[in-house]
């Protein structure tokens, strides 16, 4: 199996996630019902979850392959270098453009410094005063990078037992949801979109990567089995 392998299906899933998110925001801005398709438009925010799922899959896929093929694991330095090149350049451009266009919303130089500092360090999601202020969608980048920072700590025990690792991430997310629900904070967009709420979504992508590698190691699947598994995964 080649060292680098492109999974074209992920591009299709990314396209679907983009379509869902864009459609959701069109629905929010326009107020159009879209007839029978309104349910899809209103659920378009799930495209964000799909992005996080794909991210978890892509992050763990090379580790799953290395484990099952008996190769050395990717280095932590290489992991962070790849994440830096993938995220930071385009993020800085977007941040500069939005900060320039909407500079009047800062109000003061002190607030501008606070907003830029928290966004440049990807910590803007941690306070309601900086969450979604320069540009709303940038909160998802903050969640991604925060998970990247924790990923090298998650990988070792996830490699030992992907199922147990996934279960642990589910427990973390469900405990967080229960806590904010019990505190009456669940209606808050800020509280429900913190990293602990998405650990299980990232984990689902990670365990899916492990499952795909295991299936491939067993040899080609029967077409009916492949179709059935694809349908279940899509659902």
């Amino acid at each position: 199996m080649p060292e680098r392998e492109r999974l074209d299906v992920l591009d299709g899933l990314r396209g679907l996630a983009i379509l869902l998110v864009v459609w959701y925001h069109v629905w929010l801005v326009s107020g159009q019902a879209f007839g029978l398709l309104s349910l899809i438009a209103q659920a378009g925010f799930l495209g964000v979850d799909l992005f996080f799922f794909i991210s978890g899959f892509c992050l763990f896929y090379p580790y799953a392959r290395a484990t099952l093929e008996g190769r050395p694991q990717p280095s932590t330095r290489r992991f962070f270098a790849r994440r830096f090149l993938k995220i930071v350049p385009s993020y800085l451009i977007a941040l500069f453009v939005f900060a320039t266009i909407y500079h009047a919303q800062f109000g003061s130089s002190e607030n501008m410094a606070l907003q830029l500092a928290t966004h440049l360090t990807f910590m803007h999601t941690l306070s309601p005063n900086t969450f979604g202020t320069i540009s709303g969608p940038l909160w998802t980048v903050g969640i991604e990078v925060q998970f990247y920072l924790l990923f090298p700590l998650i990988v070792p025990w996830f490699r030992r037992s992907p199922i147990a690792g996934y279960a642990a991430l589910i427990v973390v997310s469900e405990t967080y949801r229960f806590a904010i629900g019990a505190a009456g904070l669940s209606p808050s967009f800020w509280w429900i979109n913190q990293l602990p709420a998405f650990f299980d979504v990232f984990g689902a992508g990670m365990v899916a990567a492990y499952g795909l590698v295991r299936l491939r190691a067993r040899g080609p699947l029967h077409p009916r089995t492949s179709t059935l598994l694809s349908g279940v995964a899509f659902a």
Side-chain angles (χ1 to χ4, degrees), residues 3-227:
E3 179 66 22
R4 291 189 178 185
E5 176 185 343
R6 182 176 182 83
L7 298 176
D8 293 332
V9 67
L10 295 180
D11 292 332
L13 287 177
R14 289 189 183 97
L16 177 61
I18 292 171
L19 177 62
L20 287 171
V21 172
V22 171
W23 197 352
Y24 175 69
H25 284 90
V26 169
W27 170 73
L28 283 179
V29 173
S30 68
Q32 296 297 319
F34 296 106
L36 296 176
L37 298 177
S38 62
L39 291 178
I40 299 177
Q42 294 173 38
F45 63 89
L46 293 176
V48 173
D49 295 79
L50 182 54
F51 271 122
F52 290 156
F53 172 88
I54 295 171
S55 180
F57 183 99
C58 293
L59 291 178
F60 191 66
Y61 183 66
Y63 291 88
R65 286 184 58 195
T67 297
L68 293 176
E69 294 171 11
R71 294 187 287 104
Q73 297 291 306
S75 69
T76 302
R77 176 180 296 182
R78 175 177 171 79
F79 169 79
F80 281 118
R82 288 176 64 86
R83 303 284 78 73
F84 180 90
L85 293 175
K86 178 182 178 182
I87 294 291
V88 173
S90 57
Y91 177 75
L92 290 179
I93 293 173
L95 195 61
F96 173 78
V97 170
F98 287 127
T100 301
I101 295 175
Y102 302 116
H103 69 277
Q105 71 180 353
F106 294 131
S108 66
S109 57
E110 291 81 6
N111 184 51
M112 181 177 70
L114 171 66
Q115 298 295 338
L116 290 176
T118 54
H119 279 75
L120 287 172
T121 56
F122 301 98
M123 296 294 110
H124 54 284
T125 65
L126 301 181
S127 169
N129 296 322
T130 55
F131 187 102
T133 48
I134 293 181
S135 176
L138 292 183
W139 72 267
T140 61
V141 183
I143 297 298
E144 282 268 2
V145 173
Q146 291 165 29
F147 185 76
Y148 292 166
L149 295 176
L150 295 175
F151 183 76
L153 302 177
I154 296 173
V155 163
W157 48 268
F158 208 95
R159 282 175 50 209
R160 285 194 292 270
S161 177
I163 302 302
Y166 181 36
L169 293 179
I170 291 176
V171 169
V172 172
S173 291
E174 290 299 332
T175 300
Y176 176 78
R177 295 187 188 107
F178 177 81
I180 64 173
L185 301 172
S186 53
S188 167
F189 187 81
W190 176 62
W191 278 105
I192 65 174
N193 287 309
Q194 294 299 310
L195 176 59
F198 299 104
F199 271 127
D200 55 347
V201 182
F202 284 109
M206 293 172 67
V207 80
Y210 175 79
L212 176 62
V213 173
R214 285 294 301 269
L215 283 174
R216 286 185 166 186
R218 295 182 178 182
L221 295 174
H222 188 280
R224 290 184 179 179
T225 302
S226 179
T227 301

